[in-house]
Amino acid sequence: MTAQNLLVELFVEELPPKALKKLGDAFAGVLAQSLKDQGLASADATVTPFASPRRLGVHVTGVLAQAADKPVSQKLMPVTVGLGADGQPTSALLKRLAALGADASAVAGLRRAPDGKAEALFYDSIAPGVALAAGLQKALDEAIARLPIPKVMTYQLESGCEMPGWSSVQFVRPAHGLVALHGAAVVPVTALGLVAGNSTHGHRFEAAVDPVLIAHADAYAETLARDGAVLAAFNDRRFAIVQQLAQAAEKLGPGYEVLMDEALLDEVTALVERPNVLTCAFEEQFLAVPQECLILTMKANQKYFPLVDTHGKLTNRFLVVSNISPADASAVIGGNERVVRPRLADAKFFFDQDRKKTLESRVEGLAKVVYHNKLGTQGERMERVRAIARAIAQQLGNAALVDQADTAARLAKTDLLTDMVGEFPELQGIMGGYYARHDGLGEDIAIAIEDHYKPRFAGDELPRNATGTVVALADKLETLVGMFGIGNLPSGDKDPFALRRHALGVVRMLIEKDLPLDLDALLSGAVPAFGALIQDATPALADFIYDRLAGSLREQGYTAQEVDAVLALRPQRLGDVAKRLLAVRAFAALPEAEALAAANKRIGNILKKAEGEGAGVLPELLQEPAERALFDLLGPIVDQSASSFAAGDYTASLQILAALRGPVDAFFDGVMVNADDAALKANRLALLRHLHGAMNRVADLSRLAA
């Protein structure tokens, strides 16, 4: 079979930029996989996706003109049904063969083979391999049908259909061209009312020729770049943009660095077909506005790349990725500078206006902003956060922190009422910090207000000071306790109030800040702030938080067994969890670990069945040598283990227990726990209960049993 490289391109109107990369990868992946499944391409064929604002494409190596024939074996029916007592075919067998395109002459060639308890008849044949035209048509239809299209457009076809101007199709954007080349030959396929050819269109304004003729599948990218002024591959354009951005910053001097943003880079890559980076500037007076405001408006509204100095401070220069490359770029540069100026002027106006009112003067306005129809206004929420923050600060035993946390919690949400946050909600908290400094509230309060939303996402930094940590904890706990209390829980992939993120934020702060706070006390302490508004759902909320913690720990590389063993005890001080996990890992590596874990599991099962029986161990009732030996050793071992545990040396606390392996094995070999004498039985259960408590102080070791 002749193998050639294959090229498929769908030429369309401008695609949604934020979805382009996903669309390109999906189109290429599904089409190539379908070809592989049909035997037209090998499993190791190289697949190259193409995605630009006006095209989706794929290049697949080593595609056959026709797939190889395949042997096919089809089970027909049991022998007893297909053949009579005389060995002749039954009418049922003949009908089945006819359905497969065979006649009675095929009976002699049928294969008998065991099928369960019976013997069955099988029809072996050779299925001809699919031709490329048919296989590619199937692959193309499947690739289009399975595109992750954010929103479908319906448009009318003007040709190539039964009713031009009336027949309609649906796709993400109107399609205007289709290329399908196997080597240099056009593959006759159709899609969206289009017939495949070997010509496409290049850049809207800068193509050297139009249409662009593609002579060979392997010449696609090179021809488009040369004749069409288009870099068809998404990654090639992205790399070119990164290079040009770095070169433009370097040209300005050593004091300039590009403020890179991966999401913005992907979006800009999806907006241009041949990137050309230009350097622009704005008036220095705008640098008096907080740089977060200027950066956000340049990136979000204009898709510009800001330039900062070596200290991370914003400069008045920025970079634009243009889709055209004129000989004189002054008009393009001037146009972008003119467009950004009103945006920056708006930001300066908002900043100046907001500073005319203090944060304190805005507190009353929170009572007019609805937070949730079951949980009241932002004003009521603020009072709850204050109460929770005060309680946390009191648990930390710092009187000054109580006052600082109360002030920060009172003012933390007031920037929601400012013009700047109204225009740029992403700046909530950040602007509150700036306005707090302007109001003379001090750096500690300003940082706390700025940081109280942190961590905002996975990997985000934590609040920088104690006040911010207390208010951030209080804010997240108020959300979690309130939402659980009214039954507003996340389900599946729906989590509108980001409760999973809030739970992980609480976990991270407790662990990474090593706060001496008990989780259950934190949760139950937040409930009174709500009064009669909610039901107490702290048990369910605690389960939710431990589930998030378990997932986070597994992502960090701890095994499911290690995590299960530690969290089974529901440790209240989450800052200890990492030390417990390391202790469990070290214990599991000991030669005695497996036997002790199995014994621990056995002891747990015995005690479950005998719940409520036994009190303290009475030495005079220890009759068997094995139970006396275990009791004699258990006292000093437990004392040593408890001493190490109290000192926070969990690894030593567990490893001391290794000495118990021999006595524990001997106990189970030589002692009948469920003795007929009730007093003996109760005493032995008490001994096991004492042993069980000592072994499971750091973690539930039974979870390590195979």
Side-chain angles (χ1 to χ4, degrees):
M1 298 295 178
T2 304
Q4 296 272 6
N5 294 341
L6 177 75
L7 181 282
V8 177
E9 184 211 68
L10 191 60
F11 181 77
V12 298
E13 295 181 14
E14 278 74 6
L15 292 161
K18 291 185 178 179
L20 179 64
K21 190 174 190 305
K22 187 185 294 185
L23 289 171
D25 290 343
F27 181 79
V30 173
L31 189 143
Q33 189 59 50
S34 180
L35 293 177
K36 292 176 182 180
D37 293 343
Q38 296 178 75
L40 289 165
S42 64
D44 59 352
T46 301
V47 180
T48 306
F50 296 103
S52 83
R54 298 202 296 160
R55 69 199 77 240
L56 298 174
V58 58
H59 181 273
V60 186
T61 60
V63 176
L64 299 171
Q66 181 160 351
D69 295 344
K70 288 183 180 180
V72 178
S73 181
Q74 291 176 287
K75 176 185 170 184
L76 300 178
M77 58 189 65
V79 172
T80 54
V81 176
L83 299 176
D86 56 357
Q88 295 301 308
T90 62
S91 59
L93 178 60
L94 294 175
K95 287 181 181 178
R96 184 66 189 278
L97 287 172
L100 296 174
D103 54 24
S105 63
V107 173
L110 296 181
R111 177 169 56 87
R112 294 188 181 199
D115 182 47
K117 295 182 180 180
E119 190 178 31
L121 294 171
F122 290 83
Y123 177 58
D124 296 330
S125 61
I126 300 296
V130 64
L132 177 59
L136 179 57
Q137 185 66 63
K138 177 183 177 182
L140 183 57
D141 292 342
E142 189 176 347
I144 291 174
R146 291 175 56 186
L147 279 179
I149 298 174
K151 189 176 290 187
V152 173
M153 286 184 65
T154 300
Y155 60 95
Q156 284 69 45
L157 298 176
E158 297 182 2
S159 61
C161 59
E162 292 183 8
M163 301 176 64
W166 292 91
S167 296
S168 61
V169 293
Q170 290 186 327
F171 194 54
V172 60
R173 292 292 186 271
H176 297 291
L178 178 64
V179 175
L181 290 176
H182 187 233
V186 174
V187 184
V189 293
T190 62
L192 304 173
L194 303 168
V195 178
N198 63 349
S199 64
T200 184
H201 301 277
H203 196 285
R204 278 192 184 275
F205 310 110
E206 299 187 348
V209 296
D210 188 57
V212 177
L213 186 67
I214 310 298
H216 192 280
D218 294 343
Y220 174 72
E222 180 186 351
T223 304
L224 259 185
R226 183 187 66 240
D227 298 341
V230 171
L231 294 179
F234 188 94
N235 290 336
D236 289 350
R237 287 198 313 285
R238 195 179 195 273
F239 181 72
I241 292 171
V242 171
Q243 278 193 317
Q244 291 185 42
L245 289 171
Q247 290 166 1
E250 186 178 353
K251 191 178 294 184
L252 286 172
Y256 291 91
E257 296 177 3
V258 182
L259 192 62
M260 198 62 75
D261 182 309
E262 296 299 316
L264 176 61
L265 185 57
D266 283 341
E267 187 174 0
V268 170
T269 302
L271 286 168
V272 298
E273 293 203 300
R274 186 172 70 171
N276 178 35
V277 173
L278 303 172
T279 304
C280 304
F282 58 82
E283 290 79 357
E284 290 190 4
Q285 64 172 334
F286 293 122
L287 293 176
V289 179
Q291 68 177 41
E292 292 89 348
C293 310
L294 306 182
I295 290 170
L296 182 60
T297 192
M298 282 193 284
K299 287 165 56 174
N301 298 127
Q302 304 303 131
K303 316 304 177 191
Y304 297 158
F305 289 87
L307 289 168
V308 296
D309 62 20
T310 53
H311 301 292
K313 186 177 180 182
L314 185 67
T315 71
N316 70 320
R317 300 294 188 93
F318 61 95
L319 301 178
V320 176
V321 182
S322 174
N323 194 35
I324 57 176
S325 305
D328 180 5
S330 59
V332 179
I333 293 171
N336 280 283
E337 292 176 344
R338 188 169 58 254
V339 167
V340 79
R341 195 171 295 117
R343 295 282 188 180
L344 302 183
D346 285 347
K348 185 176 186 304
F349 174 77
F350 293 145
F351 185 55
D352 292 340
Q353 290 298 112
D354 288 341
R355 288 182 296 170
K356 292 178 180 178
K357 292 180 65 176
T358 64
L359 293 181
E360 183 64 39
S361 69
R362 298 179 187 273
V363 171
E364 286 187 12
L366 292 174
K368 301 175 183 177
V369 180
V370 175
Y371 166 57
H372 190 281
N373 62 349
K374 293 183 180 179
L375 296 174
T377 66
Q378 284 286 2
E380 292 170 304
R381 180 168 189 257
M382 175 266 291
E383 294 295 347
R384 293 194 293 266
V385 173
R386 286 179 68 190
I388 297 169
R390 286 195 301 270
I392 294 173
Q394 286 166 357
Q395 289 181 55
L396 293 173
N398 189 327
L401 182 59
V402 174
D403 294 336
Q404 290 285 85
D406 182 64
T407 301
R410 174 177 167 78
L411 302 175
K413 302 298 181 185
T414 52
D415 68 350
L416 296 175
L417 303 178
T418 63
D419 292 339
M420 186 72 82
V421 174
E423 181 71 15
F424 302 112
E426 301 92 332
L427 296 177
Q428 55 188 306
I430 294 171
M431 295 313 303
Y434 279 105
Y435 298 142
R437 292 183 185 92
H438 179 264
D439 293 350
L441 295 173
E443 192 65 13
D444 190 68
I445 296 294
I447 289 175
I449 292 174
E450 182 177 338
D451 288 358
H452 85 279
Y453 287 105
K454 294 178 179 177
R456 297 171 185 256
F457 50 84
D460 190 19
E461 62 181 16
L462 299 181
R464 289 165 286 176
N465 62 18
T467 306
T469 300
V470 169
V471 178
L473 266 176
D475 187 62
K476 288 172 173 54
L477 287 170
E478 192 279 340
T479 301
L480 289 164
V481 171
M483 290 301 163
F484 268 74
I486 61 174
N488 200 346
L489 312 183
S491 60
D493 60 350
K494 295 181 179 178
D495 188 7
F497 290 91
L499 301 186
R500 295 185 180 97
R501 177 166 55 80
H502 284 313
L504 280 173
V506 170
V507 164
R508 281 192 59 200
M509 283 186 278
L510 292 175
I511 291 177
E512 295 176 36
K513 296 281 187 179
D514 197 15
L515 298 176
L517 299 169
D518 290 355
L519 182 61
D520 285 348
L522 271 180
L523 300 183
S524 59
V527 174
F530 289 86
L533 288 176
I534 65 170
Q535 299 291 321
D536 186 352
T538 50
L541 177 54
D543 290 342
F544 180 76
I545 291 175
Y546 280 114
D547 284 345
R548 304 280 78 70
L549 173 58
S552 174
L553 293 172
R554 287 193 292 269
E555 288 176 1
Q556 294 172 42
Y558 296 104
T559 68
Q561 273 189 321
E562 291 166 349
V563 172
D564 194 24
V566 171
L567 296 191
L569 298 187
R570 310 277 284 209
Q572 291 299 297
R573 297 287 175 91
L574 299 191
D576 286 347
V577 167
K579 289 195 295 184
R580 290 175 184 254
L581 285 164
L582 292 175
V584 168
R585 180 170 289 179
F587 174 80
L590 297 175
E592 299 87 353
E594 186 176 352
L596 284 173
N600 189 287
K601 187 174 183 179
R602 182 177 179 182
I603 293 169
N605 291 334
I606 291 171
L607 294 177
K608 280 180 186 176
K609 296 175 183 177
E611 192 169 346
E613 295 187 34
V617 180
L618 300 176
E620 62 271 18
L621 292 179
L622 299 172
Q623 297 183 352
E624 300 293 339
E627 61 181 331
R628 284 198 300 273
L630 177 60
F631 177 75
D632 291 341
L633 184 62
L634 194 56
I637 290 289
V638 168
D639 289 344
Q640 292 176 46
S641 178
S643 177
S644 295
F645 181 86
D649 190 348
Y650 299 143
T651 300
S653 180
L654 279 181
Q655 293 190 336
I656 289 167
L657 300 176
L660 292 172
R661 179 187 174 177
V664 169
D665 288 347
F667 177 88
F668 281 115
D669 288 341
V671 178
M672 173 66 71
V673 176
N674 292 319
D676 293 334
D677 186 318
L680 287 180
K681 177 181 177 182
N683 202 51
R684 288 167 181 171
L685 288 171
L687 180 60
L688 291 181
R689 192 171 288 109
H690 187 40
L691 172 62
H692 193 256
M695 294 178 73
N696 294 315
R697 189 177 283 116
V698 174
D700 182 353
L701 298 185
S702 69
R703 306 299 177 102
L704 301 178

